[in-house]
Amino acid sequence: MDQTSSYIALGVIAVYIGLMIAIGEYARRRGERTAEDFFVAGRMLGTFATFWLAAGTWWSALAFLGSNGWFYGKGITFLANLFTNAFFGLLLVVLGVRVWRLGKKYGYVSPGDLVEDFYGSKLIRYVLAAILLIFTVPYIQVQIMGAGYIFEASTNGLVPFWLGSLVLTLTVMIYTSLGGKKAAAWTNIVQGLLLTFGIFVGGAIIIAVAGGPAAIVHKILQLHPELLVIRSPTLWGVWFSFPIIALGGIVGPQMILNMYSAKSERALRVTGALLPFLALSFLVAMYIGFSGRILVPNLSRPDSVMVVLLMKYTPIAFASVILAGGLAAAMSTIDQQAHAISVLVSRDFVWSAYRKISQSLQVNIGRLAIIITLLAAYFMALQSPAYIAYIGAVATSGTAQFLPILAGALFWRRATKEGALAGLLGGIAMTVYMQFFPPPQLKALGIFSGWWGLLVNVPLFVVVSLLTKPHDLEKVERLIRDANTPAEV
Amino acid sequence: MERKPSPYKWIIIFILAFAYVMYLPPIASHFNSPGMVAGLPLLAAWTVLWFLVFVVTAAVGILKGWL
């Protein structure tokens, strides 16, 4: 690729970045300086925006780069993620509409608002916010890494990894801190459409170049038959481990905010019903990964396979537009996670401790949190050589520990703060232990650390709750009744 | 007011559970061998089939208000 091509790619990406910042500024001008507007878009997002907001959170660089990289390097095992997406849609409806009902009725803005109200404990709000914050930052790091790869490969090294990541980080920082959740939602619509176009059209071209689906599989059967079987320490480990990504993703702070932001239950139901179908793009990713093994067999970074194939086999201007879809995938996740952290900091820590602070100060604290979070994640991204998909799984293993406590607050009148705290802390301790110091015989099972955490979390939560009493049974019963009573059908 | 549970709810849940069981390792591993169906690797074809059964059933259940 010559230098002119690199500049064309750079130009296309610059136009895209400019558009995102313009949307952020537009959202700022249209928005009100209230916490509800900045944090949950005034609870006014319709079905279309809710769908693309959820898709943007869920469909990250993991989908655009990580899936291709996994198929390229490790083969067909990644298809287990199809069911992960199916679970995600189902959970979005089962949990999401109930969270929405409570948020709407009681004015909740953060995950901690709901948890403190139900369990009657400020301590649990702080602990939960700290845990969600710690485990969300690595996920932002993953997305920044993805953006850096795309930038570097699409400009043929003209923009190195560190600079590309930095530009993307700053772009998200600007538009998210300007427009809050509204900016995230509106940019996500553009990004989601671009991402979908990128995966399907870019994928179709690559598959055609490699000879079509049947020829690709036939060739892989001859060259790398091991890519067509499930490979892992154990079969069970792989099949059961992937759904932890859905469990962690659905209770990530950004998804809870998405639930609050919807205008109606209907918006969440339609989103939950249709979102899993986007996972069919993993089939495209499978053929892209296999095409890569045939056309460019010795990549040092498997995650960059789609970028490399596009740059090599399609016209530069076209490839750049498709790759902007990849940047969209990363940015649409980064913006919401950074925004979610701003809510955790501003609402769960600062506002919770000093309830007299003004709405505009809450918003400004949130903006500062976005800046600090993104810079921290950027520096972490410069350090990590791991598979994108792998880091994503680690991050969601941690956030998944929130699931039992949230489910308790929506369905179980005997859930208590003591049980919730015991389960949460026990689950996190086990997750960290199994992630960083696993005994060899358990590691050999190949089960993600989040499942081990839940194995400790759930029994602790149940047993300790049964041994203690809810702080205010009348209130607890009222909240559960409100969560389970449809506002509309 | 609490909504009356739909009799279809349990039929939907049964189909979802069945689709997931069909994808479990002992069953899926029978397709863990070379070969293809309509351009798809055998294992992928099997997985996609039950994935589609799952998501279409879930979508109908959700949109009809049965879940």
Side-chain angles (χ1 to χ4, degrees), chain A residues 378-402:
Chain A
Y378 168 70
F379 285 110
M380 286 167 67
L382 296 182
Q383 311 296 326
S384 180
Y387 271 101
I388 284 178
Y390 177 74
I391 300 179
V394 172
T396 45
S397 287
T399 51
Q401 304 310 313
F402 174 36

Side-chain angles (χ1 to χ4, degrees), chain B residues 33-65:
Chain B
S33 57
M36 70 170 115
V37 181
L40 272 175
L42 212 52
L43 181 61
W46 180 256
T47 308
V48 170
L49 169 71
W50 292 108
F51 169 75
L52 286 175
V53 170
F54 191 104
V55 292
V56 170
T57 307
V60 170
I62 290 166
L63 294 175
K64 289 278 188 184

Side-chain angles (χ1 to χ4, degrees), chain A residues 212-251:
Chain A
I216 292 168
V217 175
H218 193 68
K219 197 97 183 207
I220 289 292
L221 274 168
Q222 290 174 333
L223 297 175
H224 304 287
E226 74 281 2
L227 293 181
L228 298 179
V229 299
I230 307 168
R231 283 196 306 154
S232 167
T234 74
L235 216 57
W236 289 93
V238 167
W239 287 119
F240 279 107
S241 280
F242 277 109
I244 197 76
I245 299 173
L247 302 188
I250 201 71
V251 295

Side-chain angles (χ1 to χ4, degrees), chain A residues 297-333:
Chain A
N298 297 311
L299 288 179
S300 57
R301 276 182 181 161
D303 287 331
S304 65
V305 59
M306 185 173 187
V307 183
V308 171
L309 287 170
L310 280 171
M311 300 311 289
K312 198 166 177 180
Y313 294 103
T314 64
I316 181 67
F318 178 81
S320 304
V321 173
I322 303 289
L323 291 174
L327 294 180
M331 290 165 76
S332 62
T333 307

Side-chain angles (χ1 to χ4, degrees), chain A residues 50-181:
Chain A
T50 300
F51 177 88
W52 286 112
L53 195 61
T57 312
W58 184 233
W59 284 79
S60 55
L62 179 71
F64 196 81
L65 298 177
S67 56
N68 303 307
W70 193 297
F71 283 117
Y72 178 96
K74 299 183 179 182
I76 207 164
T77 313
F78 198 79
L79 271 188
N81 247 337
L82 279 176
F83 268 81
T84 305
N85 285 270
F87 292 139
F88 187 84
L90 211 52
L91 285 169
L92 182 59
V93 174
V94 172
L95 301 176
V97 295
R98 289 172 171 84
V99 168
W100 177 85
R101 287 169 192 158
L102 293 179
K104 176 101 175 159
K105 183 156 189 175
Y106 298 102
Y108 299 152
V109 166
S110 75
D113 287 347
L114 191 158
V115 166
E116 183 185 336
D117 213 18
F118 183 89
Y119 291 103
S121 163
K122 203 175 266 192
L123 175 64
I124 196 168
R125 177 200 278 265
Y126 293 143
V127 171
L128 176 67
I131 288 169
L132 292 177
L133 195 151
I134 289 167
F135 281 94
T136 300
V137 173
Y139 212 95
I140 300 177
Q141 168 202 350
V142 169
Q143 311 307 325
I144 293 176
M145 286 166 63
Y149 289 152
I150 293 173
F151 238 124
E152 186 176 60
S154 60
T155 59
N156 199 28
L158 184 70
V159 177
F161 176 79
W162 71 267
L163 183 58
S165 311
L166 183 63
V167 169
L168 262 292
T169 304
L170 293 175
T171 304
V172 174
M173 192 186 288
I174 292 169
Y175 75 70
T176 312
S177 57
L178 282 174
K181 194 69 173 174

